Every structure is written in structure tokens, then in C-alpha cells.
Amino acid sequence: PRPAPLADRSEAVLSRLQLLVTRKLDGLLQGDYAGLLPGPGSEAGESREYRPGDDVRRMDWPVTARTTTPHVRRTVADRELETWLALDLSASLDFGTGQWLKREVVVAAAAAITHLTVRGGNRIGAVIGTGGGASAPARRWRGGPPPVGPGVFTRLPARSGRKEAQGLLRAVAGAAIQPGRGDLGALIEMLNRPPRRRGVAVVVSDFLAPAEQWSRPMRKLRVRHDVLAIEVVDPRELELPDVGVLPVVDPESGELHEVQTADPRLRQRYAEAAAAQRAAIAAALRGAGAAHLRLRTDRDWLLDMVRFVA
């Protein structure tokens, strides 16, 4: 039987999830991050004695006065990373025929990315889209689950520390999916406005919205940040089983259709259309310059992430 939703067992599941992620992912991204801007850096470092050829503008006059020996102040590149998550939790994510629901894979991916980045003073924040049509003004977050309603995009400010990261994950797991179509383009655009310091942006979605809706914001995001797109897929979105008449409901519009899956030609057309759709998504992400990771609800998503990170 499929596990209960993450929101219903949030604390225990998040604790087990963090332990699982720690065992398999810890150590893969140890060490400082390379500076995002060229040059020697602007942060003050240690002083050392002056050597011929050193830039005199770096002279450390207080140390020089105390020691009566010329000293220069070294500078270091900024090694602090800021990561932002754009998490699509619209109604199409509340579906799954494998071991997990797609929304549970979204939460799990957010937990893995959070664990990999929130160390050494690094900050992580998130914006959450839960469907419901047009967005409302973003709300402030104080470490607990924020109020989420129809048409609301929730912004969780970037903060450092494991306690704050756990609060962020609790807020993500507790977000209630709303009926109606989501706007993935608007969700990604929230990472572009207001402009943020250079860092990493991770977009987690099934990307079922038309590519023209989200490809331009994704390209704009890539101009300033390193972008990772995590695509969540269920096997029934790729091919239909032969189970006779199958009633299906569009979770975003509520439309009901009855499909005769015993027809082999229909199953073949469905598989071909699904493959073309996924190829178009991959092409749009590649055109935007984003790294692309696909996670499935019927596979070990953590093993796929380990392979990607390694």
C-alpha cells in the first residue's frame, strides 16, 4: 500500500528522510564553493608582510604601525552559497501510481537539496506554488507552516542554519494543494524578482504546463544563477496499461474522460505523444541552459540524485 501523505506524518517522515539523505549524500559536496565572480575577492582575510610587486592599495596600515614592518591585507572570494527552490505543488502533482505521489517526490527532492546546501553558513529559501490561479502578495514566514490559500505563492526567505532549514521543509510538506491550474512561469519569475545575489536556483515540477509559459523565465533565471531543473514523472504519464475502460480526471480542470485502454493503437499514440512531450520539455530546459534531472515515482529517487550529484 502507498504510504500516507507526507503532511500527515511530517515530523517522523522528515526525520527519517534527513537520515536517509545524510547517509547517501553526505560528503559528495564537501569543501568551499568557487567564487561566482572573477578576481581575488573582496572579503578581508589575513595580513602578511609586504613583498615587492604587491598592490599598495592593499596595505594594512594598523598592522604596519604596530609591527613597524609593511603588511598587506589579503582578500578572499566569497564562499557563501545562496540557494533558492521553486517548488511546484499544483494539482497535477497530487498524483502517483508508483511508490510515491509526485508531490511526495517534490518534498523529498527539496529535502535532499536542502541537506546538500545548508552547511557552512549557506542560506536556502523557497517559493511554493500550490495552484488556484492568479497569485496573491507573498507572505512572510517565521519558521512555521505559512498560510496557503487559493492563488497564493508563498515565499520562504533565505536563511542559514539547520533549524531554519527544517522549518522550511515543514512548511513545504504542510502546503495544501489547491484546485485549479498553476502558473509555472509566474512561479519561476518569483526567483527573478526582486534580483538576488548570484547563486543556485532549483526548479522542481512536472513541467506539464506549456513550455512557452515557463521557458522565457527559465532563460532569464539562468543569466544570473546556476539552474537545476528537477522533473518529476509518473509512469502512467508515459504509457497506459491495458485495463479496459479507464476513467481519468484532469486534477487541475476537473474534466472527466473515459479512455478505452484495450485499444493498442490508442496506447501507442499515447506513448508517442508522451515521448514527444518529454522530448520538448528536455529541449526547452536544454535551450534555457539548465541542468536537467528526472525523478520517477516508481524508482529510487535518492539513488538517481546520488548518481546526478556524483
Side-chain angles (χ1 to χ4, degrees):
R2 180 183 303 141
L6 276 174
D8 296 342
R9 47 195 180 103
S10 57
E11 291 301 325
V13 167
L14 287 176
S15 298
R16 292 177 57 191
L17 186 60
Q18 183 181 13
L19 179 60
L20 183 64
V21 168
T22 301
R23 286 177 175 174
K24 288 198 175 183
L25 291 185
D26 204 15
L28 292 178
L29 287 185
Q30 296 287 2
D32 289 337
Y33 296 93
L36 292 167
L37 297 176
S42 58
E43 298 296 321
E46 297 179 351
S47 294
R48 62 169 175 81
E49 290 189 8
Y50 174 85
R51 299 170 187 167
D54 285 341
D55 189 346
V56 296
R57 292 175 297 179
R58 305 279 186 193
M59 292 295 296
D60 190 341
W61 295 113
V63 175
T64 299
R66 288 198 305 268
T67 63
T68 70
T69 302
H71 278 69
V72 292
R73 173 73 68 176
R74 300 176 61 187
T75 56
V76 295
D78 186 7
R79 302 289 184 175
E80 183 183 90
L81 182 70
E82 183 169 288
T83 299
W84 278 89
L85 304 173
L87 304 174
D88 178 12
L89 291 177
S90 57
S92 65
L93 274 295
D94 201 15
F95 171 77
T97 61
Q99 183 181 0
W100 304 93
L101 294 175
K102 289 198 294 182
R103 70 159 291 162
E104 293 175 326
V105 177
V106 170
V107 176
I113 295 297
T114 298
H115 171 76
L116 286 172
T117 56
V118 63
R119 61 179 73 199
N122 299 322
R123 297 193 300 273
I124 187 164
V127 291
I128 307 171
T130 55
S135 65
R139 309 195 179 189
R140 297 186 63 85
W141 168 69
R142 292 290 181 183
V148 179
V152 173
F153 289 137
T154 303
R155 178 181 287 113
L156 312 180
R159 293 174 177 168
S160 60
R162 294 196 176 275
K163 182 179 179 181
E164 287 74 13
Q166 286 300 306
L168 181 146
L169 291 176
R170 284 194 294 270
V172 172
I177 291 180
Q178 304 295 330
R181 297 198 179 278
D183 191 338
L184 182 57
L187 177 67
I188 298 174
E189 190 63 33
M190 290 188 67
L191 299 185
N192 290 318
R193 296 197 304 260
R196 295 179 173 86
R197 58 177 297 179
R198 294 178 185 272
V200 175
V202 182
V203 181
V204 189
S205 173
D206 54 11
F207 292 96
L208 291 181
E212 57 270 16
Q213 180 191 103
W214 51 262
S215 58
R216 187 173 182 274
M218 186 75 79
R219 289 194 300 269
K220 183 179 177 182
L221 187 65
R222 180 64 182 86
V223 171
R224 189 170 181 85
H225 306 283
D226 290 333
V227 179
L228 169 61
I230 299 180
E231 179 189 7
V232 180
V233 181
D234 187 83
R236 295 287 76 83
E237 295 171 338
L238 304 178
E239 59 183 6
L240 287 176
D242 184 359
V243 293
V245 177
L246 179 67
V248 293
V249 178
D250 184 337
E252 295 190 346
S253 66
E255 293 184 60
L256 173 66
H257 300 276
E258 290 187 348
V259 180
Q260 178 53 267
T261 61
D263 184 352
R265 291 176 299 177
L266 183 143
R267 296 199 306 272
Q268 181 181 358
R269 292 198 307 270
Y270 181 91
E272 292 173 350
Q277 180 188 45
R278 295 300 166 179
I281 292 171
L285 293 175
R286 186 167 56 251
H292 183 198
L293 169 61
R294 179 176 292 174
L295 302 179
R296 293 174 54 123
T297 61
D298 61 340
R299 289 180 48 174
D300 186 345
W301 60 268
L302 187 54
L303 181 59
D304 289 337
M305 291 202 71
V306 169
R307 289 171 177 166
F308 181 83
V309 173

